[in-house]
Amino acid sequence: MRINKYYLAAFTAFVIWGFFSLALKPIHHYPSLDILFYRVFLSVVLISAINLFLRRNVLLKDWKNFQIQTQSDKNKIIRVNVGGGLLLTANWFIFIFVMNHISVKAASFAYLVCPILTTVLAFFILKERLSKWQWIAVGISVSGCVLLSFNSFSDIFYSLIVALTYALYLVSQRKNTQVDKFVGLNIQILTAGLIILPFFPAFSGPVPTESLFYICLLFIVILFTIIPLFLNLYALKGVNSSTVGIMLYINPILNFLLAVFYYKEEVTEIQMISYSLILISIIVFNEKLIFNRKLKDHRVSE
């Protein structure tokens, strides 16, 4: 039952992110950097306020626990949380750069490559084992991504950089066990805010005055940043990085469905085949886990 809880958290996070475009589209005429600045700064304020005023006991408990750690363990806690903030910042910055200066296709393709990289990194860095069926699922997803990459090989390099930053973030947070997940997220978002703060005066546009911007921003910060990031970190407590990584495909699949059925964008046969293969890879990868768990539960009951 515990695995189900963590698994559901990861699934919910990526389903939420799959609908991110619904909050972004109404304010697409604002510069991407401005949206990023206000997204991060408001996230810092909200998360910090929640921890300071509503979760002060948890915050103090983590601080006392940090103080009694050895210097080596303290350094590890700092590295994994501040490093997580650096990786998130890099991912967001590079994603916006690719979106604005390379191509939207390259930015979108990055989150199709990310699950593959996460699975491979988890295998080599965390020594997470994959079954034969899970490797088959990875192979199916690679096939789908290769089909989508036809005629856009120049974009692959940039897609890999975006994907690598988030894959490293997922893998690194698997070892982040000494700090409460919401407190850890606070440290990471605060790190991101401190990094981008010096760039705000030079690169930000006029202060938005339209109420729609702030309404959408609240949805972006609460529903599409704080909640899914926390669920993502929470899921990593009970589900390995490769499983969380492969479930990341839920995000682009939902984006694709929205583009076709809601935004009425044109779709090619290759795209249909590619996304179908990716969907099959998710089912194959996770069905094996479900089967193993049911078999284990059945043996226990016997």
Side-chain angles (χ1 to χ4, degrees), residues 105-283:
K105 187 184 294 184
S108 301
F109 187 68
Y111 287 101
L112 292 173
V113 179
C114 185
I116 300 170
L117 285 179
T118 304
T119 301
V120 173
L121 287 174
F123 177 77
F124 286 106
I125 297 175
L126 300 179
K127 310 300 180 184
E128 293 182 358
R129 295 183 178 180
L130 297 179
S131 68
K132 177 181 71 175
W133 284 102
Q134 288 172 326
W135 279 117
I136 290 173
V138 172
I140 295 172
S141 66
V142 169
S143 301
C145 290
V146 168
L147 279 176
L148 282 175
S149 69
F150 284 162
N151 301 320
S152 58
F153 287 106
S154 60
D155 294 346
I156 292 179
F157 173 74
Y158 298 100
S159 299
L160 285 173
I161 296 175
V162 177
L164 183 62
T165 53
Y166 196 71
L168 285 171
Y169 173 75
L170 285 178
V171 171
S172 68
Q173 296 310 299
R174 183 77 169 109
K175 295 184 176 182
N176 191 2
T177 58
Q178 295 295 319
V179 178
D180 173 79
K181 294 302 180 184
F182 203 76
V183 173
L185 182 59
N186 195 161
I187 297 170
Q188 292 166 16
I189 297 294
L190 181 59
T191 301
L194 292 174
I195 292 172
I196 69 172
L197 184 60
F199 299 97
F200 180 73
F203 295 97
S204 64
V207 177
T209 57
E210 189 181 13
S211 60
L212 177 64
F213 176 83
Y214 295 101
I215 292 171
C216 289
L217 188 68
L218 276 175
F219 276 100
I220 290 171
V221 169
I222 297 172
L223 187 59
F224 295 107
T225 302
I226 296 175
I227 292 176
L229 275 176
F230 171 72
L231 289 173
N232 218 175
L233 292 175
Y234 178 77
L236 287 168
K237 290 174 61 179
V239 178
N240 61 35
S241 303
S242 55
T243 301
V244 174
I246 209 74
M247 289 178 72
L248 182 59
Y249 278 132
I250 295 170
N251 181 352
I253 285 175
L254 287 176
N255 281 328
F256 177 75
L257 293 175
L258 278 176
V260 173
F261 295 107
Y262 185 74
Y263 296 113
K264 307 300 182 183
E265 294 182 4
E266 188 177 348
V267 58
T268 66
E269 290 184 4
I270 288 182
Q271 287 176 323
M272 286 295 295
I273 295 171
S274 299
Y275 279 93
S276 297
L277 286 172
I278 290 169
L279 180 59
I280 291 170
S281 75
I282 296 174
I283 295 171

